Amino acid sequence: MHLKKMTIIGVGLIGGSFAKGIKKAQLCDQITGFGPNEKELQTAVELNVIDNYSLDLSTAVKGADLILLSVPLGAMQAVLADIKPFITDKTIITDVGSAKASVLNAVKNVFGKIPSHFVAGHPIAGKEKSGVEAACDALFDAHKVILTPSPETDKQALEQVQHLWQALGADVSEMTPEFHDEVFAATSHLPHLLAFGLVNLLNEHEELGNVFQYTAGGFRDFTRIASSDATMWRDISMSNSQAIVKWLKNYQQELDYLITLVEKQESDKIYDFFIQAKKARDTHIQ
Amino acid sequence: MHLKKMTIIGVGLIGGSFAKGIKKAQLCDQITGFGPNEKELQTAVELNVIDNYSLDLSTAVKGADLILLSVPLGAMQAVLADIKPFITDKTIITDVGSAKASVLNAVKNVFGKIPSHFVAGHPIAGKEKSGVEAACDALFDAHKVILTPSPETDKQALEQVQHLWQALGADVSEMTPEFHDEVFAATSHLPHLLAFGLVNLLNEHEELGNVFQYTAGGFRDFTRIASSDATMWRDISMSNSQAIVKWLKNYQQELDYLITLVEKQESDKIYDFFIQAKKARDTHIQ
């Protein structure tokens, strides 16, 4: 399963960490980077994240056994269209997009179907810092990676992608794109939007002055994800909008219930609400 | 400003950390603990948090220059009534309650007015761990402590309380009880209730299975405060219900706006929403 050449399209935190891990595991002879920003690609070479780069897409992609698409969801379809002329039926293409139905739609729009060597993926790892300087070969170690293969996906291509993630220490599992998008709308997209929302709410209420000065560690942790990349989260919101709206509305209903309890001073039910949450978190989250 | 005797009523995380800090700073000859649980008080003595304890309130309080009330908000009025027979006009009483109007109401209910030696306070520090074992003499170092004195508050009593907190490294400031309750409804009570709500929402949606398994560091940090003490947060919700409901409703309006943006696929406005939040957080929260 050794690869001769791999091309990373988008050498930022995720693409760079993948490349670094693969280099460390010595699973590929040559890792080539491609992206719109030459300075970042030079940095990636200097940091030994990739072996080389090209600003010409056909050169970058030519002869690659595997292409990793690590670009914003909003750029996925354009990048797929750009690489289409330079790949063969055997070129494995995989991605790291945080929403999967929209990526598979983009693939269908470009190829007219899901090519057998396209393997949709999503590593559940990240940092608030972005860019190749933040890349780290252990980023995916002990983290989940979800693959959402289609019925037409080639078994060997799927195994190859699995093998690479596992070599980085990841715990790889499979689900349908629809289930994936529902689960991550609830567990990831929802809390991110809630955190952005809270910071904006407090920032707008000028009559209290700068209320951020009165916050402590709890607030800092709660809102840490509100420092995430705005472009990435815009793209996720656009790409998984239906599930996100559904879960935002589910959450509103949960708040409606809590508001009623507090308004009516339902002491016991308020306690039950909090203790249930505390127990669930203490049980499930380490 | 040296004290002969101080009584800590409620020797848990906050009361215990206060006592430890005061002992370290050598500002008091004798620190006595009082609480309903003898084993915890014994532990507090063993950990050198307090010098001694009594299970008899009159003995514990007798001769104290200062009494720190570090009990749940819901217990404040009962404790004030209990200590009333054993104190003098000169006994300084201060508290650490997270909501201030309700504490001052409890004081008025018991004393018929705000005694000149009562100084209402709130240290902005905590941990998810509770109990005296978690107490730490540096808990308040570089943290804010808010005092909400009344017009009738004695200047020397106020200065004494200020002095003690400052000796623990705290940054002490003053505000009205009403402003305090509004600010902390927004910056502390709101995010706590939001975190409890998210965990409950995900815990209830069994059709997705155990979704907690798909969460990562962002979710862990976002929900950390949902592991806080349920009794404490029930009491805060009951004590500051009006401001909390107001801010929960403000937050729902913020979410209504965000839902509309995502439903209408307002790409630019979604980006603006996220980048504003990111900039505000990156500016104000270290």
Side-chain angles (χ1 to χ4, degrees):
Chain A
M1 289 194 141
H2 191 86
L3 299 170
K4 286 187 180 164
K5 177 178 173 180
M6 181 184 293
T7 303
I8 310 283
I9 301 191
V11 191
L13 170 68
I14 301 292
S17 296
F18 185 83
K20 263 186 137 170
I22 296 298
K23 276 178 81 79
K24 196 180 178 190
Q26 299 184 310
L27 295 172
C28 183
D29 295 336
Q30 187 200 143
I31 302 185
T32 299
F34 178 82
N37 184 334
E38 184 165 17
K39 213 176 157 197
E40 289 217 342
L41 293 166
Q42 282 172 343
T43 304
V45 172
E46 283 160 20
L47 295 173
N48 205 25
V49 168
I50 52 175
D51 297 304
N52 53 52
Y53 68 86
S54 174
L55 294 174
D56 173 62
L57 187 59
S58 69
T59 308
V61 165
K62 196 178 177 186
D65 303 306
L66 185 142
I67 299 171
L68 180 82
L69 305 178
S70 185
V71 299
L73 285 167
M76 209 61 90
Q77 186 161 328
V79 169
L80 285 159
D82 287 346
I83 64 171
K84 189 183 174 190
F86 311 120
I87 59 172
T88 73
D89 288 352
K90 303 286 175 207
T91 315
I92 299 172
I93 308 174
T94 188
D95 80 305
V96 297
S98 305
K100 299 278 40 114
S102 72
V103 169
L104 290 163
N105 278 336
V107 171
K108 274 183 216 157
N109 290 342
V110 170
F111 293 94
K113 57 168 188 175
I114 309 290
S116 62
H117 284 62
F118 185 86
V119 181
H122 175 207
I124 315 307
K127 292 182 185 175
E128 276 58 60
K129 287 181 185 175
S130 53
V132 71
E133 289 89 349
C136 156
D137 58 44
L139 186 65
F140 308 109
D141 187 44
H143 280 70
K144 283 195 192 291
V145 169
I146 313 295
L147 302 181
T148 61
S150 312
E152 47 270 72
T153 306
D154 180 76
K155 275 212 163 183
Q156 278 190 304
L158 178 60
E159 280 170 16
Q160 177 65 266
V161 174
Q162 269 174 339
H163 172 70
L164 294 175
W165 284 115
Q166 282 165 350
L168 306 188
D171 168 19
V172 183
S173 56
E174 293 177 22
M175 50 177 79
T176 66
E178 294 73 25
F179 188 75
H180 170 280
D181 287 358
E182 188 81 12
V183 164
F184 289 95
T187 58
S188 169
H189 309 169
L190 176 60
H192 276 81
L193 268 60
L194 297 183
F196 284 123
L198 179 66
V199 174
N200 271 345
L201 177 64
L202 298 194
N203 196 36
E204 286 158 9
H205 277 259
E206 299 278 332
E207 77 273 17
L208 295 182
N210 174 11
V211 291
F212 294 115
Q213 68 181 302
Y214 301 114
T215 60
F219 186 87
R220 186 175 59 241
D221 285 355
F222 185 89
T223 59
R224 185 169 66 79
I225 50 181
S227 284
S228 301
D229 185 68
T231 302
M232 176 180 166
W233 284 97
R234 177 200 60 198
D235 284 3
I236 290 173
S237 302
M238 295 290 287
S239 300
N240 199 23
S241 57
Q242 223 177 326
I244 288 174
V245 166
K246 176 187 155 185
W247 282 93
L248 280 167
K249 288 182 175 175
N250 285 343
Y251 187 72
Q252 291 267 42
Q253 284 178 13
E254 194 79 24
L255 291 190
D256 285 340
Y257 174 67
L258 186 52
I259 288 172
T260 306
L261 295 188
V262 179
E263 270 180 335
K264 292 191 177 170
Q265 301 264 307
E266 295 262 22
S267 179
D268 291 347
K269 286 184 182 165
I270 294 171
Y271 178 80
D272 290 345
F273 191 92
F274 295 163
I275 197 73
Q276 274 168 25
K278 177 179 168 56
K279 280 183 184 166
R281 186 178 185 280
D282 289 349
T283 304
H284 296 296
I285 310 289
Q286 273 74 46
Chain B
M1 291 195 138
H2 191 87
L3 300 170
K4 286 186 180 165
K5 177 177 172 181
M6 182 185 293
T7 303
I8 309 283
I9 301 191
V11 190
L13 170 68
I14 300 293
S17 295
F18 185 83
K20 263 187 137 168
I22 295 298
K23 276 176 80 78
K24 196 181 178 191
Q26 299 184 305
L27 294 173
C28 183
D29 295 336
Q30 187 199 143
I31 302 185
T32 299
F34 177 83
N37 184 334
E38 184 165 16
K39 212 177 157 196
E40 289 216 344
L41 292 167
Q42 282 173 341
T43 304
V45 172
E46 283 160 20
L47 295 173
N48 204 27
V49 168
I50 51 176
D51 297 303
N52 52 53
Y53 68 86
S54 173
L55 294 174
D56 172 61
L57 187 59
S58 69
T59 308
V61 164
K62 195 180 176 184
D65 303 306
L66 186 142
I67 299 171
L68 180 82
L69 304 177
S70 184
V71 299
L73 286 168
M76 208 61 89
Q77 188 162 327
V79 170
L80 285 160
D82 287 346
I83 63 171
K84 189 183 173 192
F86 311 120
I87 58 172
T88 73
D89 287 353
K90 301 288 175 205
T91 315
I92 299 172
I93 307 174
T94 188
D95 79 304
V96 297
S98 306
K100 300 277 43 112
S102 72
V103 169
L104 290 164
N105 279 334
V107 171
K108 274 184 215 157
N109 290 342
V110 170
F111 292 93
K113 58 167 186 174
I114 310 290
S116 62
H117 284 62
F118 185 86
V119 181
H122 176 207
I124 316 307
K127 290 183 185 175
E128 276 58 60
K129 289 182 184 173
S130 52
V132 71
E133 290 89 348
C136 155
D137 60 43
L139 186 66
F140 309 108
D141 187 42
H143 280 70
K144 281 193 193 292
V145 169
I146 313 295
L147 302 180
T148 62
S150 312
E152 46 271 72
T153 307
D154 179 77
K155 274 211 162 182
Q156 278 190 303
L158 178 61
E159 279 170 17
Q160 175 67 266
V161 174
Q162 270 175 338
H163 172 69
L164 293 176
W165 284 115
Q166 282 165 350
L168 307 187
D171 169 17
V172 182
S173 56
E174 292 176 23
M175 50 178 79
T176 66
E178 295 71 27
F179 188 75
H180 170 280
D181 287 358
E182 187 82 15
V183 164
F184 290 94
T187 57
S188 170
H189 310 170
L190 176 60
H192 276 81
L193 269 60
L194 297 182
F196 284 123
L198 179 67
V199 174
N200 271 345
L201 177 65
L202 298 194
N203 196 37
E204 287 157 7
H205 278 260
E206 298 278 333
E207 77 273 16
L208 294 181
N210 174 10
V211 291
F212 294 114
Q213 67 181 302
Y214 301 114
T215 60
F219 187 87
R220 186 174 60 240
D221 285 355
F222 185 88
T223 59
R224 185 169 66 79
I225 50 181
S227 285
S228 300
D229 184 67
T231 302
M232 177 179 164
W233 283 97
R234 177 200 60 196
D235 284 3
I236 291 172
S237 301
M238 295 291 287
S239 302
N240 198 24
S241 57
Q242 222 178 324
I244 288 174
V245 166
K246 177 188 155 185
W247 281 93
L248 279 167
K249 289 183 175 174
N250 285 344
Y251 186 72
Q252 285 208 319
Q253 284 179 13
E254 194 79 23
L255 291 189
D256 286 340
Y257 174 67
L258 186 52
I259 287 172
T260 307
L261 293 188
V262 179
E263 269 180 335
K264 292 192 176 168
Q265 301 263 308
E266 295 262 20
S267 179
D268 291 348
K269 286 183 183 166
I270 294 171
Y271 178 81
D272 289 345
F273 191 93
F274 296 163
I275 197 73
Q276 273 167 27
K278 178 178 167 57
K279 280 183 184 167
R281 186 177 185 281
D282 290 348
T283 303
H284 296 297
I285 311 290
Q286 269 74 48

